[in-house]
Amino acid sequence: MQKTIGLIGGMSWESTAVYYKEINEIVRRRYGGLSSADVLIHSVDFSRIVAWQKAGEWGKAAEYLGDVGKKLQDAGADCTLICTNTMHIIADEVSAHFDIPLIHIVDVTGSALKAAGAKKPLLLATRYTMEQSFYRDRLKAEYGIEAIVPDEADRAGVHNVIFEELCCGVIRKSSHDLYCQAIEKAKASGCDAVILGCTEIGLLIGPDDTDLPVFDSTKLHAAAAVDFACGVDDNQLLATG
């Protein structure tokens, strides 16, 4: 019998929909027929989260998301996922509000990178994730991986595309080209892989857009949730609150 997956979603809802679809497609592939996942979703108002991000009020966001995680636990969730890379900056503070395991997106991604032998991946993400150290430090400390970020101009472009387009359901070829150009620059400087380190980026680019290995954090996170729910034991993927 499957365990229940709890999703702290809505950041943005565009990528939360991908989580839901991906989780259920994995379960159907594994078990066939009409099999689907046992999932609880609490989708938050993203505008509130963004306001706290811009103001640097991460503590308020942690209290809010921690309360959401506790509600998922009380509703019967056996694990929880924060369905965004950026908000893992406060993952420890969020998970302190509940007792069920938090499946950490950086650990899931780091495990996949290490298994593939990647040493110097390009990290594409929001400014918060690219410019603050929480993501790259964890990859380095836990997995020996030295993630690289684009230059200032490309960081601004990557960030703006996420918030002004992808989170609003807008897909533009010019933005696709911007991302591909950033990847080519990184490849020329010695990067050996690409991390799609924002949960919306997979809506814009994917493995067909480069000959470097692409690690989509959304899909990796969803697969880890299914592994947990179906009893696949990998303690490296879990961080308890």
Side-chain angles (χ1 to χ4, degrees), residues 207-221:
D208 293 339
D209 294 305
T210 177
D211 56 4
L212 292 178
V214 174
F215 295 82
D216 187 332
S217 61
T218 307
K219 291 186 176 181
L220 292 168
H221 209 194

Side-chain angles (χ1 to χ4, degrees), residues 117-135:
K119 299 291 186 182
K120 188 181 176 183
L122 171 68
L123 174 61
L124 296 175
T126 66
R127 269 193 178 276
Y128 309 109
T129 302
M130 291 187 289
E131 295 181 356
Q132 298 194 43
S133 64
F134 73 99
Y135 203 103

Side-chain angles (χ1 to χ4, degrees), residues 10 13 23 49 84 94 99 113 115 151 155 160 179 194 205 215:
W13 70 258
I23 286 168
I49 301 298
T84 163
V94 171
D99 301 313
L113 287 160
D151 61 30
R155 291 200 303 272
N160 290 339
Y179 274 62
V194 181
I205 61 171
F215 295 82

